[in-house]
Each structure stands twice: as C-alpha cells, then as structure tokens.
Amino acid sequence: LTPGSRLLSGLPYDTWEGLSAGLLAPLAAGGSVVLCRHLDQLPEEGLARRVTDERVTLTVPVPR
C-alpha cells in the first residue's frame, strides 16, 4: 500500500483480518477504502465496473 492507494476489500469487518487489511492498513498508509455492500453478491462485470468507476488500485480477494 502506498499513499493514494484505493483499496476495495471483500473481507468482513467483524474479524481482525478484515479490519487490519481492509480498513486500518490503507488508512495508515495514506490511502483510502472503497466500501461496497454485498461485494460477494456482485457479478463479475459489476465488480469490474466498480473497480473502474471507483479508480481502485488494489483489491483484497472477494469471498465467493
């Protein structure tokens, strides 16, 4: 992660992994988090559109 990174994470925030990798790490690095409810239910083309529209630079794997 670098300053200006835009992370899209599919990890839930009710676990340490989700909080640390999907929220705290990007903010500590000077990046931002792109929030998307029900990311695991988004079809592949919807996910690709979200990445483009939100200018996402990194993704954390979406649990499917």
Side-chain angles (χ1 to χ4, degrees):
L1 293 170
T2 59
S5 294
R6 293 182 54 80
L7 179 82
L8 178 64
S9 173
L11 298 173
Y13 292 146
D14 62 350
T15 66
W16 175 245
E17 181 184 21
L19 279 174
S20 63
L23 183 62
L24 299 177
L27 297 178
S32 58
V33 178
V34 176
L35 299 175
C36 179
R37 292 181 67 193
H38 308 295
L39 192 59
D40 59 331
Q41 298 173 18
L42 200 59
E44 289 297 323
E45 60 276 357
L47 179 58
R49 187 171 49 250
R50 175 63 55 121
V51 167
T52 300
D53 291 349
E54 299 284 353
R55 299 182 321 273
V56 170
T57 58
L58 298 166
T59 59
V60 174
V62 178
R64 295 256 178 204

